[in-house]
Every structure is written in C-alpha cells, then in structure tokens.
C-alpha cells in the first residue's frame, strides 16, 4: 500500500533535507548543459536518495493529475472526483499517500482558474510535499503548447500555435514565445512545460498532431524546436520535446487507437530525428515518448514508450540523451492496447523512462512498480537512476532553494501589456495569404463596410473567448467595419446555409471561417452557395491550411492555423489591410482531386 507513515528518528526533517541540498542549483548549473556530469551536486542528491524509503522512491517516478483549485480545500465536486479516481480528497492527501514527484495541471481538472489561484495551488502543493519527512519539491507540469493546446488561459499571454510559428519562420519569435510563456508559467509555480512539439507533420490527415507541429520540413522544425527550448529554459521552466521517436506521420490518434508508423529507419533519420537531435543539442530538460508502434525501429509490436530499443537504445545510447524521459499519458489507448495498466508502468521503467505520467488508476500503477521491485523484476538501483535524473532536474530549476511562487510576481509578470503586444506582433507575422484573386484583399471600409462573418465555430481553445465568428466580427468592427456574426457550425444544415445566404445579400462582403473542410461536407456547400450570391467571399481556414484545396473557386483565402483570439485578431488586421500578410506555408497543401500532387508547396504565401 502507499506510504502514509509520519517518519521516525532515522528520517531527517525538512530543514535537514534542504541543508543537505544547499548549493545544488549552482553546482548543477556549472555543468553548462542539461545533461552534463555534475559530480558535486550528484553526491548530495545520491545522499538524499539513499535515505528514501522504497515507497518514496516509487512515488517520485509518478506525475499525477488531481482535481481542484486548492491543494487543501477544493470544491466538493472536485473532492468527489478525487475520491472516485484516486482515492484521496485533495492534492495534499495525494502527496501524503503516494509521495508523487510531479503534478500535472489541467483546465478540466479545475486547476487553472486564474494566475493568482494557480500560484497559490502550486505553493500549497510544494508545502504539502516539503512538509513530509524527507520532503522534496514537486515538478509541476502542464501542456502549454499555445494554439489549440493550452491549459492556462486568459489573462495569461496566449501565443500562436506551433504551425503558425512555423509559418512565421522566425527562430527569434519561437525563442520569445518560450521566454515569455516560461516566465509567466514560472510566476504561477509551474516549472515543467510539455512543449514544444517536435513532431514533423507530413500526413495531412494526422488527427492528433497537425497544427501542433511546426511543419513538414525537418530542418525548419528542428530550428524552431531548439529556439523554443532555449526560450523556456532561460525563464526557469523545463521544456519537453515530444513525442519521441516522432508522431507526425500517422492518421491514427494515440489517445483512442494504436498508431503504426510504417516508414523506414532511413526515413526516420531524415525526417523525425532532426528536431530531437536539435532539442538535445539545445540542452532540453525532458523528452516525452509516443505511444506509437514503429516496426522499423523495433519490430516487437510494443509502443515506443515501452520499447527498450527505442528509449534506451536509440534515445539514450545513439542520440546521447541523459535527461529526464517522461511518458505520454498512461491513460491513452495507444499504450494500453497490448498490456494491462499494472504492466505498463513496469515495462516503461524497464524501457528506460523516468517519469510515469498520469496513469488511469494510480493505486494500480504505484503498487505494480512497488511489487516489481520487491519481486525482483525491477531493481532498486534502476529506480535510483531515474530518481537521480528527476532530482537533477529539480535542482537545475532551483526548486531546492526556491520552491515557492512569489504571489507579488504574478501581477508583474502574467499577461502584461508588453507580453500581449509581443504575442500580437508574432501573430501578425504568421497569418498566411494563400489566394488573392483580383486583389480582393485587403477589404476596403469604403466599398465593403458591411461584413457578414459566418463560420464553423468549433469549441474555443482553452482560455480564449470565442466563438471564432464573434471574435472575428468584433475585431473587424473595431477596425472600422460593421460586422455581423452568424455561426453556421462544422456541418451546416440546408436551413442554416439558406439563412447565411439570405444574410449575405444584405452585406458588402462575406468572411467565412472554415474548419477541416471535406469534399462532400456541407461547409464546402456553404461556401459555394455564398459565392453564388455574387458577393465577395473571403475564406479563413481557422485550423488546417489544407481547407483551401477544397475551395477552388474562393477568390480570397487566409490560413491562421488556429482559432485562438490572438490569431483571429491578426487575421482581421490582415483582412483590413492594417498589416501585410507575411506567413508562408510550413506544410505542402496537396490537391483535392489528386493528393499525390502538390497544390501549394512549402513556402507559398502572398502579400500586399
């Protein structure tokens, strides 16, 4: 069972632990990279490990979700959810029972209401852990990729997502994004970010990566990954390159299935490996594995997360990486297809990973690892290897010396005007003009003052206002147009299409937001019927730039790569001519009628 003991005289108090680790930050930083041999610091860390119980060692390997805005006093609904899924009431109880080394924040777990609350939650978690016998600081992580995946929303600064940054092509912008986002996360007590995405997205049908990737060119992706890693880590937040060995060439979502990557080892070297090599050269603090089967790298049929050939043989030995390796969520179907939830964490550790992320049932996973050590399947020395890497990371981040967020820093750092302005400037450099027949864009307020904005209105990404039609219409109205929003959905009915067509007759021009347009879908029919009115129509692909291939008759088309506020406002400024479009496609767009041929190549993009 999990450790719920209060300690005895052989177990040093928190003061003793902190004294034993004094100077670790400086000692480890002196190594110069995330993986340098830091012997002075290692000696102290090994001393800490030698005093840990086996139960504490097992706990240190896990990164777990927990419901609630407070470490000790969450809402009753969150207490109920914790009891149901974890068997504890609060984050503090989670730490006391399992001694977990990490916590992951989610918006849906009600961890991220607002910046000050997040800082207080982080501090509560650190207090709960440091207050235990031999208490250690906690790695507090989240998925703050920006774009369509963000756990901390407004008023924090939200940037364009990876593919948008890829369209901008600026390593300086990627570095700025990481530096500012990292500073804001650290101010809230979050010290590990599961970003950037280092996947090279070469499959337009990829349902899980897509616009989360910087693009399809491995060298371009590599440069942007390294820049963002540098930015995050300059602000004291551990960056995480994901999903090794590369999740960009699959049409299966590993949350719900078991993707198989079918290309050769040579193609992996030329396509997928470059961004991870670049991240390692940049000193990336952690790398996340993928729940994918990759027969050319390991023909066992196991997911990469559980493959010693992939994790130890390729990542550690061939690529020379000795930093922290974290699994993708162990609740995903891709890692659960072949083995039970009690076997997965044991096999992952045997493969060479260090952190076990978010198992579906912590008690099952925790006890499975404990039993594997007691039964001889795993050695305690193997656990010590991973714990040393984890403690090195905590020391490099300064958590032994400064584990707490400063509440006063939150207001000075999070969502400042300077940070928000930087996000707007970066977004302006990413908006991509794909089609501009007859110079339809920019729209003039003199000749096209009255605009109708229709569109798909997918659920707004975390922390943004939405819906997209409303954000676009409001932004265009602020720029001097009279814009009306009409949501038409991702699959508009014939009646909805007719309503939009009727409304278009009273407008001077129509802006239509598209979302994953298909050949037989009603979004395409909507655009065609709007064009039939004779009104000028401008399409804005608010997710995948591939939509343009399904809209051959549209005279104007922009790609924003996401429907977050910052990207939609930038698109409005481009539509209005306040800024010139500067983005260039970071992926090729295949023809709709012949996917083997390219309609628009990487680098395509128009301007005014």
């Amino acid at each position: 069972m999990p450790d719920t003991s209060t300690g005895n005289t052989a177990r040093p108090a928190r003061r003793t632990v902190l004294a034993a680790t004094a100077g670790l930050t400086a000692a480890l930083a002196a190594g110069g990279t995330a993986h340098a041999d830091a012997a002075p610091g290692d000696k102290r860390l090994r001393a800490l490990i030698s005093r840990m119980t086996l139960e504490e060692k097992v706990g240190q390997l896990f990164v777990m979700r927990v419901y609630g805005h407070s470490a000790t006093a969450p809402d009753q609904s969150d207490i109920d959810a914790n009891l149901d899924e974890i068997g504890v009431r609060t984050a503090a109880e989670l730490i006391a029972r399992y001694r977990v080394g990490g916590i992951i924040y989610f918006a849906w777990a009600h961890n991220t209401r607002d910046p000050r609350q997040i800082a207080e939650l982080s501090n509560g978690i650190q207090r709960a852990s440091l207050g235990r016998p031999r208490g250690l600081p906690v790695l507090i992580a989240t998925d703050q990729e920006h774009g369509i995946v963000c756990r901390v929303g407004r008023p924090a600064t939200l940037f364009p997502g990876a593919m948008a940054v890829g369209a901008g092509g600026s390593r300086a912008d990627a570095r700025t994004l990481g530096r500012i986002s990292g500073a804001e996360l650290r101010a809230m007590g979050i010290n590990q970010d599961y970003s950037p995405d280092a996947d090279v997205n070469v499959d337009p049908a990829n349902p899980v990566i897509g616009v989360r990737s910087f693009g399809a060119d491995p060298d371009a992706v590599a440069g942007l990954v390294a820049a963002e890693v540098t930015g995050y880590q300059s602000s004291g937040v551990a960056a995480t390159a994901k999903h090794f060995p590369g999740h960009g060439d699959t049409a299966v979502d590993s949350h719900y299935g078991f993707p198989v990557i079918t290309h050769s080892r040579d193609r992996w070297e030329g396509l997928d490996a470059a961004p991870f090599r670049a991240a390692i050269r940049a000193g990336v603090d952690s790398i996340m594995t993928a729940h994918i089967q990759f027969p050319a790298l390991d023909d066992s049929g196991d997911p990469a997360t559980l493959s010693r050939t992939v994790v130890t043989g390729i990542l550690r030995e061939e690529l020379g990486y000795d930093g922290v390796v974290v699994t993708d969520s162990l609740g995903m179907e891709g890692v659960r297809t072949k083995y039970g939830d009690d076997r997965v964490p044991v096999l992952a550790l045997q493969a060479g990973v260090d952190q076990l992320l978010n198992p579906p049932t912590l008690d099952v996973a925790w006890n499975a690892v404990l039993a594997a050590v007691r039964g001889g399947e795993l050695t305690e020395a193997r656990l010590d290897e991973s714990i040393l890497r984890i403690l090195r990371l905590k020391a490099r981040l300064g958590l032994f010396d400064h584990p707490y967020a400063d509440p006063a820093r939150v207001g000075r750092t999070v969502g400042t005007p300077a940070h928000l302005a930087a996000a707007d400037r970066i977004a302006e450099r990413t908006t991509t003009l794909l089609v501009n027949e007859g110079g339809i864009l920019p729209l003039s307020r003199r000749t096209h003052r009255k605009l109708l904005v229709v569109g798909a209105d997918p659920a707004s990404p975390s922390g943004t206002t939405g819906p997209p039609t409303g954000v676009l219409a409001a932004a265009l109205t602020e720029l001097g147009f009279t814009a009306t929003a009409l949501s038409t959905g991702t699959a508009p009915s014939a009646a909805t299409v007719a309503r939009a067509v009727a409304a278009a007759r009273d407008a001077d021009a129509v802006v239509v937001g598209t979302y994953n347009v298909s050949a037989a879908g009603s979004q395409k029919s909507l655009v065609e019927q709007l064009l039939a009115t004779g009104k000028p129509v401008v399409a804005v692909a608010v997710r995948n730039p591939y939509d343009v291939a399904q809209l051959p008759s549209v005279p104007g088309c922009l790609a924003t790569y996401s429907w977050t506020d910052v990207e939609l406002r930038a698109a409005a400024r481009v539509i209005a001519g306040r800024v010139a479009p500067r983005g260039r496609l970071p992926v090729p767009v295949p023809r709709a009628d012949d996917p083997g041929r390219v309609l628009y190549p990487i680098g395509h993009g128009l301007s005014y």
Side-chain angles (χ1 to χ4, degrees), residues 290-369:
H291 304 326
I292 56 173
Q293 186 183 158
F294 209 133
L297 303 184
D298 179 357
D299 61 4
S300 69
D302 287 344
T305 296
L306 308 184
S307 168
R308 185 169 177 82
T309 299
V310 171
V311 177
T312 296
I314 297 176
L315 179 56
R316 294 219 187 273
E317 295 173 359
E318 292 185 26
L319 273 59
Y321 182 67
D322 193 37
V324 170
V325 175
V326 56
T327 71
D328 206 341
S329 171
L330 297 184
M332 293 167 59
E333 191 61 31
V335 80
R336 303 173 75 190
T337 298
K338 190 173 178 182
Y339 301 101
D341 292 339
D342 59 334
R343 296 300 302 151
V344 166
V346 176
L347 295 172
L349 290 169
Q350 288 179 333
V353 306
D354 303 305
Q355 288 186 302
L356 303 164
L357 176 62
N358 204 26
T361 306
L362 179 58
D363 192 62
V364 169
W366 190 96
N367 278 294
V369 174

Side-chain angles (χ1 to χ4, degrees), residues 381-401:
R382 168 66 193 89
L383 268 58
D384 292 351
E385 291 175 13
S386 286
I387 295 166
L388 179 59
R389 293 190 188 100
I390 293 166
L391 295 187
R392 280 176 182 163
L393 176 53
K394 293 181 179 184
R396 277 196 302 276
L397 295 172
L399 297 180
F400 286 100
D401 301 321

Side-chain angles (χ1 to χ4, degrees), residues 54-70:
L54 176 58
E55 290 83 358
E56 289 165 356
K57 289 181 179 182
V58 171
Q60 198 63 204
L61 304 172
F62 283 94
V63 182
M64 189 60 184
R65 69 191 179 280
V66 65
Y67 290 86
H69 71 287
S70 165

Side-chain angles (χ1 to χ4, degrees), residues 6-71:
T6 57
N8 56 40
T9 55
R11 298 171 177 174
R14 172 174 171 255
R15 183 181 306 156
T16 308
V17 173
L18 293 179
T21 59
L24 273 173
T25 304
L28 287 169
T33 74
H35 321 304
D37 181 18
D42 277 5
K43 184 176 181 180
R44 296 186 180 99
L45 294 175
R46 290 182 194 277
L48 285 180
I49 295 170
S50 71
R51 292 192 287 268
M52 295 169 67
T53 67
L54 176 58
E55 290 83 358
E56 289 165 356
K57 289 181 179 182
V58 171
Q60 198 63 204
L61 304 172
F62 283 94
V63 182
M64 189 60 184
R65 69 191 179 280
V66 65
Y67 290 86
H69 71 287
S70 165

Side-chain angles (χ1 to χ4, degrees), residues 134-196:
R134 295 164 311 283
L136 296 170
V138 178
L139 283 171
I140 299 176
T142 198
D143 292 288
Q144 193 79 349
E145 294 179 18
H146 294 277
I148 68 171
V149 177
C150 255
R151 311 305 186 196
V152 181
R154 298 168 66 245
T157 304
L158 299 177
F159 285 90
M163 192 171 285
V165 174
S170 168
R171 295 182 185 182
D173 283 349
R175 193 176 304 111
T176 296
L177 183 159
R179 176 180 56 79
I180 291 175
S181 180
E184 295 196 4
L185 291 175
R186 189 62 192 253
M188 293 179 277
I190 298 170
N191 45 56
Q192 186 176 23
D193 189 16
Y194 296 141
S195 187

Side-chain angles (χ1 to χ4, degrees), residues 226-455:
E228 192 169 305
V229 165
T230 301
Y232 272 110
Q233 296 186 181
S234 71
S235 291
V237 168
T240 306
K242 61 187 187 185
H243 308 78
F244 189 82
H247 207 321
D249 190 12
T250 173
V252 175
D253 186 341
S254 53
H255 289 83
Y256 310 108
F258 190 14
V260 180
I261 307 295
T262 59
H263 57 239
S264 68
R265 172 66 189 249
D266 286 345
R267 181 161 169 77
W268 176 80
E269 289 281 1
L271 181 73
D272 301 294
F276 292 100
R277 291 184 189 276
I280 292 168
R281 286 194 299 270
V284 69
D285 279 327
S286 50
I287 290 178
M288 179 180 286
T289 61
H291 304 326
I292 56 173
Q293 186 183 158
F294 209 133
L297 303 184
D298 179 357
D299 61 4
S300 69
D302 287 344
T305 296
L306 308 184
S307 168
R308 185 169 177 82
T309 299
V310 171
V311 177
T312 296
I314 297 176
L315 179 56
R316 294 219 187 273
E317 295 173 359
E318 292 185 26
L319 273 59
Y321 182 67
D322 193 37
V324 170
V325 175
V326 56
T327 71
D328 206 341
S329 171
L330 297 184
M332 293 167 59
E333 191 61 31
V335 80
R336 303 173 75 190
T337 298
K338 190 173 178 182
Y339 301 101
D341 292 339
D342 59 334
R343 296 300 302 151
V344 166
V346 176
L347 295 172
L349 290 169
Q350 288 179 333
V353 306
D354 303 305
Q355 288 186 302
L356 303 164
L357 176 62
N358 204 26
T361 306
L362 179 58
D363 192 62
V364 169
W366 190 96
N367 278 294
V369 174
L370 186 66
V373 178
R374 287 176 172 165
E377 188 178 8
L378 286 171
T379 66
E380 197 163 347
R382 168 66 193 89
L383 268 58
D384 292 351
E385 291 175 13
S386 286
I387 295 166
L388 179 59
R389 293 190 188 100
I390 293 166
L391 295 187
R392 280 176 182 163
L393 176 53
K394 293 181 179 184
R396 277 196 302 276
L397 295 172
L399 297 180
F400 286 100
D401 301 321
H402 303 287
Y404 298 110
D406 178 0
R409 186 181 168 197
V410 172
R412 297 195 304 265
T413 306
V414 179
T416 65
H419 288 177
L420 296 172
D424 281 337
R425 288 193 300 271
I426 290 173
E428 288 176 353
R429 294 190 278 269
T430 68
T431 307
T432 307
L433 179 59
L434 301 174
V435 178
N436 194 22
E437 293 180 3
I440 187 174
L441 289 170
L443 295 178
S444 167
R445 287 175 297 170
R446 293 188 298 275
T447 56
H448 302 98
R449 177 173 291 274
K450 191 175 181 181
L451 302 181
L452 174 67
V453 180
V454 301

